[in-house]
Amino acid sequence: MTAGRAATREERWLALGLWVLGFVALWATESAVGFTRDESVYFYAGESYARWFQQLFREPARALTDAAIVRAWDYNHEHPALMKELFGLSHLLFHETLGWLRPAAAFRLPAFAMSALVPALTFLLGSAVYGRTAGLFAALSFLLVPRQYFNAELACFDMPIAAMWLLVVYAFWRALEDRNWGVLCGVFFGLALCTKHNALFLPFILAPFALWRAWTTTVDRPEARVWLWRVLGLFAAVAVLYGLLVVSLGPAGFQRKFFLLSPHTLLFAVLAVGALGMLHLQNEVHPPSALALLPMATMAVFGPIIFYLHWPYLWHAPVDRTAWYLNFHATHNHYTWFYLGKLLREPPFPLEYVVVKTALTVPTSLFVPMVTGWLAFAGRAVLSLFERTKSLVREPSLAECLVGLNAVASILIISHPQVPHFGGVKHWFPSMPFLGILAGVAVTRGCEALVERLRVRWPRLSLAAVAAPVFTLLMLPALIGLVRVFPYGTSFYSELAGGLPGAASLGMQRQFWSSNVTAVLPWINEHAPRNGRVFLHEVHGLSFRDYQRNGLLRSDLQPGGPFDSDVAAYQYHQEFREHEFNVWQAYGTRTPATGLYLDETPQIIVYQRR
Amino acid sequence: MLLVALVCLVFQLRQPGHLVSEADYRTVEGWLRTEARPGDAVLLFPWWTERARIYVPPEVPVYGYLGSDKNDLSAHPRVWVLGQPEQPRAGEADFRAAFLPGRTAVGAPRRAGNLELTLYENGRYRPRRFVASEAYAKARVYLEAQDGTRTGCPFDGRVHRCPGPPHLYVAPEWHEVHFEPRHCLWMHAPGGTQRLVAEFDGVPADTELRLEGGLISEYASHHDARLSTAYYGVEDAATREPLLEIAQTPGLEGLQKAWRALPPGEPRTVKVWVRAENPERRQVCLDVFALGDGAVVSREGT
């Protein structure tokens, strides 16, 4: 199969069911999940942005001044605003206005909606490309990966960008047969840019497919090939002219002279009008090639426009502030990370890190099918390249290549030794749904082979009768692991690692992001002195406030440091051992009062001043 | 795939069986309360099984950090190994290879649920005749210029505080030196050619003089060009003879050690000093020991 196809009615209903199931499960379990360091920052930003929307409603002229915008939007401007806007507006509606939800749940609601999209979209793409059984396996298994389920609970961007990445790829694939999806692809890409900077890589991954499709469909159509060259020529000319501007003005001059009426914007207008106009004409000559290129054009045009429009912070100084944002991520600092007994502090990082970390954190009964599925795809792709081996395999279709490449794209990007390696596995989540689909393919093939054998004895045996127990067997260990580790998702390690104890012996990062502290908050509430000071170590100051306003931490307690506190909750990080010994020194004891020990591994260690 | 899934299922179902109950820890606590002697220590195996710290009597020091398997624990004549050998990837063979040489088991291991407690005689024991961090209150502390000029750092009952920035003082503190908790003398380098000196009397002769120290926390790993080598050492106060010296270059991690035999004779006064041209992030924590002869090791460990 090369071109996209619409989902059937049953598939749409099943996808909706999966979305509802995911959304309800996440909502029902969120109250146990602590506030990660980033999350409280986004809560605060969301509140600030929502206040601005209120001001926009009340006094629009003042709200639209740069001073008012900066006041509201300057906080956390290192990330685009879409998700934080949704978090803030949801909080405004469901907590502040209606009073239906506690603050954290109200903030998180849009994250559940986005996260629940992943199983639904995975099913739609998987079942269209490989069949419903494969799609279902991929969809059901996605949230059974404990670290993925944990991240799906958070008002952060990692799961939303995985959903948006998947949505853009799905739209791109559907656009191969449907012009409306070509337009939507550009819109979704714009929204993906508004979600997180991972989206910047999407055009580089999708463009080769668009070009390949356009090229192969115009082989026998010289007039369509001419139009193809014209469109490509326009893109190339604009790129060259932008390059000349950079060279002639210098990077700083290019940035300084980029304003509304400048060659920079003129070039963008030429690209937008020219590309869409040419594709309109090409569509009259040869629709398949025009359809193939349409997503590229809409992504190039709608992406920047939507990105600009969604973020008021950019409205008065789009170029400088976008440049700052991009530079922030291009020069992101490195946080220390414990890996196989060594503290990784700075690049170059081990090339194999992402693969090893994935192997040790995805439940092994799901990881093995992922590897099997991807290797089967890669093997077919390689063998079909050579004349001698071509006949041995079925050549992967364009859609299969799309899935296969996206399954490793984010992994390859993060594997670069110079890219920051902190943050567990969340930075390559966009790969995981695609790996899940390939796992589904491997499992389905296995089920089909099994059915074929069993039908010798039971001729009326259905695939479902075999797939159901196989799915159960493969997913059950993951489910048990998820239930056992929940809500401490950043601590999960797979069977291959030997679970948490095995990972501790291997010298892997025990936890991160501070959310495991919820385990000891009840003890602190019970034992901390009235108006006492509490050192919650890695817990962000805003999270301290959030624990209090969500009723998880006594409101009379004050945040303190290791030396001036009455109670300390040290979070076991190998790079922070000094902090625990500071507490020993300050408190005059080395004996913890209590702690969180997951499968005996120390996670949170609580000390009480004597 | 099904076989893998089955193995995974068995693994997940067996995991709760590796947990340790509070009652098991209480049992071990009881054994240690009645049988541990002053000077004994507990060593955790695997090193990360630190929940035991809650239950081990506070007078018995507990060792459990990345690398503690290899620690000589030379301050302790007897070591209780508190193990959880059934934990996944516990690495018992590696532990035994690192721990057993020079140690002799005393009696059979005892079990309390998943806990295993074994007492060992520590053949690597070296009696402490002098420990700088324990004698610090009687030390004379001062900043010493290159020309020998001294600026005193008076003792306030807790620390010897020097004039200048607040980190310039000498006192024993808990700090991390490459993952290991060390109760050592905080001696931050003062900068320039100045030395921070702590002078100790009565260091016994006919011992092994040993200097152990390092930069605390993450600072040893930093290797920016502007950082300086931290020098620290011991010299004879009377003869100014350098006895021990360590030069810790930026980026050199780990506990640094130097030692020499002190000949028989009268106890001597030694100057323990530290300096670094650029004091930034040169947060030295060190200790100086005079070690007597160790216990006779009757045989290699079992």
Side-chain angles (χ1 to χ4, degrees):
Chain A
M1 177 173 300
T2 49
R5 74 154 172 87
T8 64
R9 186 182 157 81
E10 295 82 37
E11 285 169 350
R12 280 199 292 268
W13 276 109
L14 262 171
L16 179 64
L18 287 163
W19 183 86
V20 171
L21 183 66
F23 184 83
V24 170
L26 291 169
W27 191 356
T29 51
E30 72 84 24
S31 63
V33 177
F35 309 131
T36 60
R37 289 177 63 81
D38 294 20
E39 204 179 17
S40 282
V41 170
Y42 304 150
F43 288 170
Y44 188 84
E47 269 186 289
S48 176
Y49 303 169
R51 297 269 171 272
W52 182 83
F53 281 117
Q54 287 179 303
Q55 186 189 22
L56 182 66
F57 196 67
R58 283 195 316 269
E59 34 182 6
R62 182 176 291 186
L64 290 170
T65 62
D66 192 43
I69 286 174
V70 168
R71 202 177 306 122
W73 296 83
D74 191 57
Y75 188 75
N76 192 241
H77 62 262
E78 57 263 39
H79 290 293
L82 176 64
M83 291 313 299
K84 289 173 284 181
E85 289 166 356
L86 296 176
F87 302 154
L89 291 173
S90 173
H91 174 259
L92 182 64
L93 177 64
F94 293 111
H95 175 69
E96 290 194 354
T97 309
L98 300 172
W100 288 354
L101 300 174
R102 69 171 189 148
F107 280 121
R108 285 170 166 175
L109 216 55
F112 306 153
M114 292 293 285
S115 303
L117 270 181
V118 177
L121 286 168
T122 304
F123 170 72
L124 288 179
L125 182 62
S127 54
V129 177
Y130 290 106
R132 210 169 286 179
T133 314
L136 204 57
F137 181 87
L140 290 173
S141 61
F142 183 79
L143 285 180
L144 289 179
V145 177
R147 289 187 182 230
Q148 287 165 197
Y149 190 87
F150 171 80
N151 276 269
E153 297 275 24
L154 306 177
C156 291
F157 315 137
D158 305 291
M159 201 50 81
I161 189 58
M164 291 307 301
W165 186 294
L166 183 57
L167 185 60
V168 172
V169 173
Y170 181 73
F172 173 82
W173 173 71
R174 292 294 313 276
L176 297 178
E177 63 139 24
D178 186 334
R179 190 171 50 186
N180 292 336
W181 281 96
V183 176
L184 281 174
C185 184
V187 174
F188 294 151
F189 172 66
L191 294 174
L193 287 177
C194 304
T195 303
K196 205 178 174 191
H197 60 279
N198 306 46
L200 290 165
F201 293 97
L202 269 165
F204 301 100
I205 290 153
L206 297 180
F209 289 94
L211 294 175
W212 179 252
R213 169 88 173 150
W215 187 261
T216 52
T217 57
T218 55
V219 168
D220 301 324
R221 300 293 298 272
E223 72 283 20
R225 183 63 67 84
V226 170
W227 277 107
L228 170 60
W229 281 118
R230 283 176 185 159
V231 175
L232 292 181
L234 177 68
F235 272 90
V238 169
V240 167
L241 288 171
Y242 269 124
L244 284 175
L245 278 176
V246 173
V247 170
S248 60
L249 299 173
F254 179 86
Q255 186 179 324
R256 202 172 52 248
K257 294 185 176 172
F258 195 153
F259 32 77
L260 186 61
L261 296 176
S262 65
H264 310 59
T265 23
L266 179 67
L267 281 176
F268 180 73
V270 167
L271 178 74
V273 174
L276 293 174
M278 280 186 189
L279 284 174
H280 178 70
L281 296 172
Q282 186 179 352
N283 188 51
E284 290 176 2
V285 177
H286 187 244
S289 59
L291 280 177
L293 295 178
L294 181 61
M296 291 296 100
T298 57
M299 286 166 77
V301 176
F302 297 163
I305 293 173
I306 292 172
F307 182 73
Y308 170 74
L309 289 177
H310 102 283
W311 199 354
Y313 187 69
L314 302 181
W315 290 353
H316 289 273
V319 178
D320 289 349
R321 289 175 187 171
T322 303
W324 185 93
Y325 157 68
L326 294 174
N327 186 57
F328 176 85
H329 292 286
T331 57
H332 200 290
N333 52 355
H334 300 278
Y335 304 132
T336 303
W337 199 252
F338 196 42
Y339 172 70
L340 294 181
K342 291 197 173 110
L343 284 174
L344 307 180
R345 298 182 193 275
E346 58 189 4
F349 299 113
L351 192 62
E352 78 289 350
Y353 167 84
V354 176
V355 174
V356 172
K357 186 84 181 176
T358 307
L360 298 182
T361 56
V362 173
T364 308
S365 59
L366 301 179
F367 181 72
V368 168
M370 285 178 186
V371 173
T372 310
W374 193 83
L375 287 178
F377 156 76
R380 281 171 54 209
V382 170
L383 291 175
S384 62
L385 288 175
F386 304 102
E387 212 50 52
R388 284 173 57 188
T389 53
K390 210 171 185 173
S391 59
L392 298 173
V393 293
R394 185 171 53 82
E395 190 178 352
S397 69
L398 191 74
E400 287 177 296
C401 292
L402 192 63
V403 172
L405 181 63
N406 276 282
V408 291
S410 296
I411 286 174
L412 289 175
I413 292 165
I414 307 294
S415 290
H416 191 288
Q418 298 295 323
V419 171
H421 273 43
F422 60 86
V425 297
K426 65 195 179 83
H427 292 155
W428 59 92
F429 275 162
S431 278
M432 301 314 288
F434 300 94
L435 279 172
I437 291 173
L438 293 172
V441 176
V443 173
T444 306
R445 296 281 181 271
C447 288
E448 286 167 350
L450 194 58
V451 167
E452 210 168 288
R453 281 177 168 247
L454 294 174
R455 273 185 185 154
V456 176
R457 248 185 110 170
W458 297 286
R460 295 170 71 179
L461 189 71
S462 68
L463 178 64
V466 170
V470 169
F471 277 26
T472 305
L473 184 57
L474 289 167
M475 292 182 194
L476 195 57
L479 180 64
I480 295 171
L482 170 62
V483 170
R484 288 195 71 234
V485 82
F486 186 81
Y488 313 114
T490 64
S491 301
F492 180 80
Y493 281 93
S494 70
E495 298 84 355
L496 191 61
L500 278 87
S505 286
L506 281 172
M508 298 296 284
Q509 184 89 14
R510 265 335 131 78
Q511 61 179 324
F512 70 100
W513 250 3
S514 84
S515 54
N516 287 6
V517 79
T518 50
V520 300
L521 295 183
W523 188 94
I524 291 173
N525 287 331
E526 194 180 329
H527 293 87
R530 178 125 201 96
N531 299 316
R533 298 180 82 84
V534 180
F535 172 50
L536 291 185
H537 190 204
E538 267 287 273
V539 171
H540 195 282
L542 290 172
S543 303
F544 195 101
R545 181 198 66 151
D546 286 325
Y547 284 125
Q548 289 183 317
R549 72 171 169 168
N550 284 276
L552 296 167
L553 184 64
R554 266 172 34 205
S555 57
D556 62 290
L557 298 175
Q558 304 293 317
F563 298 104
D564 65 353
S565 51
D566 304 292
V567 174
Y570 167 74
Q571 326 227 332
Y572 199 106
H573 282 235
Q574 203 61 42
E575 74 273 25
F576 294 148
R577 300 297 288 138
E578 171 73 7
H579 300 189
E580 184 178 16
F581 308 149
N582 289 162
V583 174
W584 290 6
Q585 178 65 30
Y587 284 26
T589 180
R590 285 175 281 164
T591 304
T594 186
L596 169 66
Y597 300 90
L598 292 176
D599 284 349
E600 299 300 320
T601 62
Q603 304 281 331
I604 310 287
I605 305 172
V606 178
Y607 293 91
Q608 189 167 26
R609 189 182 284 277
R610 297 190 160 184
Chain B
M1 278 190 270
L2 292 179
L3 195 62
V4 168
L6 270 174
V7 172
C8 292
L9 190 59
V10 169
F11 177 89
Q12 290 292 353
L13 293 173
R14 286 188 60 193
Q15 265 304 91
H18 297 311
L19 299 179
V20 181
S21 70
E22 181 162 345
D24 297 336
Y25 273 120
R26 293 289 179 206
T27 303
V28 169
E29 180 188 5
W31 291 337
L32 289 172
R33 278 199 190 283
T34 53
E35 297 174 41
R37 295 181 198 158
D40 284 4
V42 168
L43 177 67
L44 303 176
F45 159 66
W47 61 270
W48 47 262
T49 51
E50 287 193 37
R51 190 175 156 215
R53 287 186 187 280
I54 298 176
Y55 303 96
V56 173
E59 61 274 16
V60 183
V62 180
Y63 293 83
Y65 60 87
L66 182 58
S68 58
D69 298 0
K70 293 174 186 159
N71 192 326
D72 286 340
L73 303 174
S74 63
H76 307 285
R78 304 196 315 166
V79 177
W80 300 83
V81 173
L82 182 56
Q84 296 183 37
E86 284 88 22
Q87 289 289 358
R89 293 191 189 276
E92 190 169 11
D94 290 343
F95 172 77
R96 294 172 72 86
F99 175 79
L100 282 182
R103 270 79 179 240
T104 312
V106 181
R110 274 178 284 182
R111 300 285 305 203
N114 288 316
L115 292 176
E116 185 179 271
L117 185 69
T118 314
L119 176 62
Y120 289 88
E121 272 180 10
N122 185 12
R124 303 184 209 172
Y125 168 64
R126 302 291 302 276
R128 264 72 175 142
R129 300 278 177 75
F130 169 81
V131 179
S133 61
E134 291 171 1
Y136 88 104
K138 291 180 181 166
R140 292 175 297 281
V141 178
Y142 49 86
L143 295 168
E144 187 177 60
Q146 205 167 19
D147 63 2
T149 314
R150 294 178 179 185
T151 308
C153 305
F155 185 56
D156 65 8
R158 198 178 63 85
V159 305
H160 298 271
R161 191 166 298 284
C162 303
H167 58 253
L168 275 188
Y169 64 90
V170 175
E173 291 181 346
W174 282 104
H175 285 290
E176 178 214 340
V177 178
H178 202 56
F179 310 134
E180 181 183 351
R182 304 274 305 182
H183 195 244
C184 46
L185 277 181
W186 169 263
M187 290 184 75
H188 196 302
T193 55
Q194 241 184 0
R195 302 196 306 180
L196 174 59
V197 179
E199 208 172 284
F200 295 89
D201 297 328
V203 176
D206 197 16
T207 56
E208 180 187 294
L209 187 68
R210 195 172 180 86
L211 169 64
E212 294 183 354
L215 299 180
I216 69 160
S217 191
E218 68 195 70
Y219 303 117
S221 69
H222 297 178
H223 50 81
D224 319 19
R226 69 171 186 278
L227 295 178
S228 300
T229 297
Y231 298 93
Y232 40 102
V234 184
E235 69 182 38
D236 189 296
T239 64
R240 305 191 69 178
E241 177 199 359
L243 299 173
L244 299 168
E245 184 170 332
I246 289 171
Q248 188 167 2
T249 52
L252 178 63
E253 295 187 75
L255 185 72
Q256 310 300 310
K257 299 174 185 175
W259 61 90
R260 66 176 289 170
L262 288 180
E266 293 299 306
R268 63 176 84 194
T269 299
V270 299
K271 290 164 75 170
V272 179
W273 56 268
V274 57
R275 73 174 172 86
E277 182 65 29
N278 175 4
E280 184 186 344
R281 286 175 269 170
R282 302 300 87 181
Q283 307 191 4
V284 175
C285 205
L286 55 78
D287 215 339
V288 176
F289 310 100
L291 305 178
D293 283 338
V296 176
V297 180
S298 55
R299 56 192 162 97
E300 283 296 296
T302 52

